Amino acid sequence: MPRVRTYLMCPPEHFTVEYAINPWMDTTVPVDAALAVKQWDLLRTTLVDLGHTVHLLDPVAGLPDMVYAANGAFSVDGQVYGARFRYPQRSAEADAHRAFYAGLDQNSWQLVAPEHVNEGEGDFAYLPGAHGGLILAGYGFRTEPAAHAEAQEVLGRPVISLRLVDPAFYHLDTALAALDDHNITYYPDAFSPSAQRVLAQLFPEAVLADRADAEAFGLNLVSDGRHVILNTEATAMADKVRAAGYAPVHVELSELKRGGGSVKCAVAELRP
Ligand code: ARG
């Protein structure tokens, strides 16, 4: 069954690829910002039409990656663990996200500033129905392992540290996604052998993806527990989630892929 969600997105008005901090970014290929906004808006209306609430963050000129709103924070039970970006080009985005959460009802939301580098939901996923609430966390390219321990202290949920080993899948959300409150889908080879063993032990029913699915950003999906919103290119991934009982919904996000992201990167979830 779907569960109604609250999301945060940021329009790609200032989206460009003017620096390269992941293997997908090519500064020599121009970006069509108008098309990016159009595609992004279809993602936003898709979420709204499914009954979800989408808050908006004001885009800031000079922060071309701000459209990837997932990286700005990670919240569980109203506790908001703020982000601290790995690269200086993105560091100011954390302030914009902090200001957004500071503007929410402070009786319901508590913001905690991080000490360690972490890129929010890019490297953290939450499974409320697994073992009473489990956090999966990636490291190896962006988020520091020390941030995993910090997140556990702040959020009071067990954090499972997973080492990412393939630079093409530099954030957890490029290689793994929650399909509902207790199950996940992932691309095993994006993880170290030990991390693969941990995932197999915790999620024996997981939907396994392959390299082509991951390269189509098919794992960079947003699910409400029933509808799985994913990049149009990820047709094989859509078949896999359909076979597992979910309803895939395709959204074209070709421009955002130029920055190394897709559906999930553009959508942060607020968990009250
Ligand atoms: N260009 C951005 C970066 O490299 C893309 C971020 C994608 N976001 C994500 N949640 N995976 O930081």
Side-chain angles (χ1 to χ4, degrees):
M1 285 303 285
R3 184 156 53 73
V4 172
R5 314 287 173 123
T6 303
Y7 296 121
L8 176 64
M9 294 177 69
C10 178
E13 270 166 46
H14 307 292
F15 178 58
T16 61
V17 177
E18 59 190 41
Y19 50 78
I21 55 173
N22 71 58
W24 302 91
M25 300 174 86
D26 181 348
T27 56
T28 65
V29 179
V31 165
D32 186 337
L35 180 58
V37 171
K38 213 173 129 198
Q39 294 177 337
W40 172 92
D41 203 52
L42 204 57
L43 170 60
R44 184 188 63 79
T45 54
T46 299
L47 294 169
V48 170
D49 290 348
L50 287 169
H52 305 298
T53 298
V54 178
H55 292 293
L56 294 183
L57 209 53
D58 280 334
V60 177
L63 296 176
D65 272 335
M66 207 173 157
V67 61
Y68 304 109
N71 298 125
F74 175 57
S75 65
V76 172
D77 292 338
Q79 291 284 115
V80 184
Y81 177 52
R84 185 163 178 162
F85 286 81
R86 154 105 19 211
Y87 295 108
Q89 293 97 326
R90 296 196 67 186
S91 64
E93 292 180 40
D95 307 329
H97 283 264
R98 193 171 311 125
F100 169 79
Y101 288 99
L104 297 177
D105 175 8
Q106 293 308 291
N107 296 318
S108 318
W109 297 92
Q110 236 175 349
L111 184 58
V112 178
E115 224 170 273
H116 299 287
V117 168
N118 82 88
E119 298 198 342
E121 290 196 324
D123 276 323
F124 289 107
Y126 186 54
L127 281 296
H131 304 275
L134 202 62
I135 295 169
L136 301 181
Y139 72 97
F141 299 100
R142 298 292 179 89
T143 296
E144 295 285 355
H148 295 183
E150 189 176 34
Q152 179 167 289
E153 277 304 306
V154 170
L155 302 168
R157 291 285 184 279
V159 174
I160 306 294
S161 279
L162 303 164
R163 187 159 73 89
L164 294 161
V165 295
D166 186 331
F169 310 113
Y170 58 95
H171 272 144
L172 183 72
D173 71 1
T174 63
L176 179 151
L179 287 170
D180 55 29
D181 288 352
H182 39 85
N183 203 14
I184 60 168
T185 178
Y186 65 100
Y187 167 47
D189 285 345
F191 297 90
S192 69
S194 294
Q196 290 181 38
R197 198 191 173 285
V198 169
L199 287 169
Q201 179 181 324
L202 289 175
F203 300 98
E205 310 290 324
V207 176
L208 298 186
D210 60 25
R211 186 167 190 94
D213 298 324
E215 284 180 341
F217 275 85
L219 288 158
N220 198 245
L221 60 82
V222 166
S223 175
D224 63 12
R226 161 130 189 88
H227 310 100
V228 173
I229 298 99
L230 78 180
N231 189 26
T232 320
E233 210 189 302
T235 49
M237 191 64 210
D239 293 341
K240 285 174 187 147
V241 300
R242 191 182 297 109
Y246 303 90
V249 179
H250 277 303
V251 174
E252 167 91 56
L253 282 178
S254 59
E255 288 309 295
L256 290 195
K257 197 182 177 187
R258 296 181 195 280
S262 193
V263 178
K264 173 59 215 170
C265 300
V267 179
E269 184 171 349
L270 277 69
R271 299 182 196 78

